[in-house]
Amino acid sequence: MKNKIWISGADGRLGSKLAEELNPIEFKIISTDKDTVDIVDSNAVNLFADMNRPHIIINCSGLTDPLYCEENVEEAFRINGLGARNLAIASRRVNSKLVHLSTDDVFSGDTERPYREYDEARAQTIYGKSKSFGEQMVMQFAKYYFIVRSSWLYGKRNHKVEDIINEAKENGKVHVPIGQYASPTSTDELSQFIIKLIQTMEYGVYHARCQGSCSRAEFARTVLKLANIEAEVIKEDAHLLHELRPANAVMDDFLLRISGIHEFSDWEVALKNYMNKHNLI
């Protein structure tokens, strides 16, 4: 009998990638989006779980636009917080594993060293606070859970790499926020890790990001170099994302390292692989 995997938020950047990568011979994939099952509706979530009895639930649903979250606080906490709670309760109800996707934005960004999984989450933005609240709900209500914090996630559905290339081609310039550091991570790399993780019982909180780190400016310059495009990268204090992302969101994959579960590629290698795969080089 195949294990059934319910991917909530299957229309998003990671959910769509997981649905694409998961082997249909090994798993039966149940994909839903907001129109199919709204995770804010606890009755709908529990009814769907009861009817389908998934062995694994992967929560890729979420409100991820930092500016929108700042302007829509209640909606952010409903989706990122109560939605996570509802899926956690449903996972306990049907005795399934839960994978909950989180973010480096749960940290304040005011430390000089990389954050480890056990460090206190002190989010400064509504997006970060709502995701931190979601983590708390998962820990409180789920029985078997993996909380996976990712970093500067890019893929075909959010076009971060493509946007840099297009801006450079159109304007000869790329504008980025000043002073932000993290570990760019492709959905390709993250989905492969999650597929490996769900087949274990290594429950807990993980920092899942490509090796190494860089600034927004370094990331943009590397994209342009790989794409063989000459353009000026301009760092701005007044950039839209400057106040809405942690200054230093570099995470240490400490638990992955000491457990030996998985090792991510270097961020530059992963970026080159992604750009090759999608004909951006």
Side-chain angles (χ1 to χ4, degrees):
M1 179 180 176
K2 295 182 183 179
N3 277 339
K4 289 188 283 186
I5 301 179
W6 172 16
I7 304 175
S8 176
D11 56 339
R13 54 188 172 181
L14 181 62
S16 60
K17 186 64 182 176
L18 281 165
E20 175 187 325
E21 293 289 337
L22 282 162
N23 189 338
I25 297 175
E26 296 180 27
F27 305 102
K28 179 180 179 182
I29 313 302
I30 308 167
S31 299
T32 64
D33 56 23
K34 182 180 179 181
D35 294 333
T36 313
V37 181
D38 187 348
I39 63 169
V40 172
D41 185 339
S42 61
N43 290 328
V45 170
N46 282 300
L47 178 61
F48 190 85
D50 286 347
M51 290 177 62
N52 291 279
R53 313 297 293 187
H55 300 93
I56 301 162
I57 300 173
I58 305 179
N59 179 21
C60 297
S61 298
L63 200 58
T64 60
D65 185 322
L67 181 58
Y68 187 88
C69 288
E70 292 293 325
E71 297 172 345
N72 300 272
V73 177
E74 292 186 3
E75 184 179 358
F77 275 86
R78 275 198 302 272
I79 296 173
N80 294 337
L82 297 185
R85 179 203 64 183
N86 294 339
L87 288 171
I89 291 171
S91 73
R92 178 180 283 269
R93 184 185 182 97
V94 298
N95 206 39
S96 68
K97 299 176 182 179
L98 174 65
V99 179
H100 175 70
L101 273 297
S102 193
T103 172
D104 52 10
D105 287 71
V106 300
F107 296 112
S108 64
D110 58 6
T111 183
E112 293 183 1
R113 66 167 179 81
Y115 289 97
R116 288 184 171 179
E117 291 85 348
Y118 54 77
D119 286 330
E120 181 183 3
R122 294 187 293 113
Q124 302 299 299
T125 64
I126 295 301
Y127 171 56
K129 290 175 182 178
S130 65
K131 292 298 289 184
S132 183
F133 178 56
E135 289 187 4
Q136 295 170 33
M137 292 294 96
V138 169
M139 292 177 191
Q140 183 173 347
F141 292 108
K143 186 176 182 181
Y144 307 111
Y145 65 82
F146 309 96
I147 293 175
V148 178
R149 293 173 179 152
S150 65
S151 176
W152 285 6
L153 196 62
Y154 62 88
K156 286 298 292 182
R157 290 297 180 102
N158 70 341
H159 308 297
K160 285 183 179 178
V161 173
E162 293 81 353
D163 286 346
I164 290 171
I165 293 172
N166 291 335
E167 186 179 354
K169 287 181 176 179
E170 290 174 10
N171 306 317
K173 299 177 182 178
V174 175
H175 297 265
V176 298
I178 194 170
Q180 292 185 1
Y181 295 83
S183 304
T185 303
S186 71
T187 55
D188 300 38
E189 288 276 336
L190 185 57
S191 63
Q192 288 305 310
F193 165 65
I194 291 171
I195 291 169
K196 180 184 290 188
L197 191 64
I198 60 176
Q199 299 176 75
T200 75
M201 292 184 287
E202 304 275 357
Y203 305 115
V205 180
Y206 292 95
H207 287 174
R209 87 298 185 273
C210 285
Q211 299 298 315
S213 62
C214 65
S215 66
R216 295 276 186 184
E218 289 173 302
F219 181 67
R221 289 192 192 102
T222 305
V223 169
L224 297 176
K225 181 179 178 181
L226 288 169
N228 197 28
I229 298 172
E230 290 190 13
E232 184 181 3
V233 176
I234 300 173
K235 295 180 283 187
E236 297 179 331
D237 277 322
H239 193 280
L240 183 63
L241 292 177
H242 180 62
E243 299 295 335
L244 296 177
R245 294 289 191 186
N248 175 26
V250 179
M251 298 189 297
D252 181 3
D253 58 347
F254 180 69
L255 292 185
L256 281 184
R257 193 166 63 252
I258 64 174
S259 62
I261 297 172
H262 184 77
E263 184 175 352
F264 280 79
S265 300
D266 182 85
W267 73 266
E268 292 182 82
V269 172
L271 176 61
K272 185 175 182 179
N273 289 340
Y274 172 83
M275 293 179 68
N276 266 321
K277 182 177 181 179
H278 297 287
N279 300 313
L280 299 173
I281 298 177

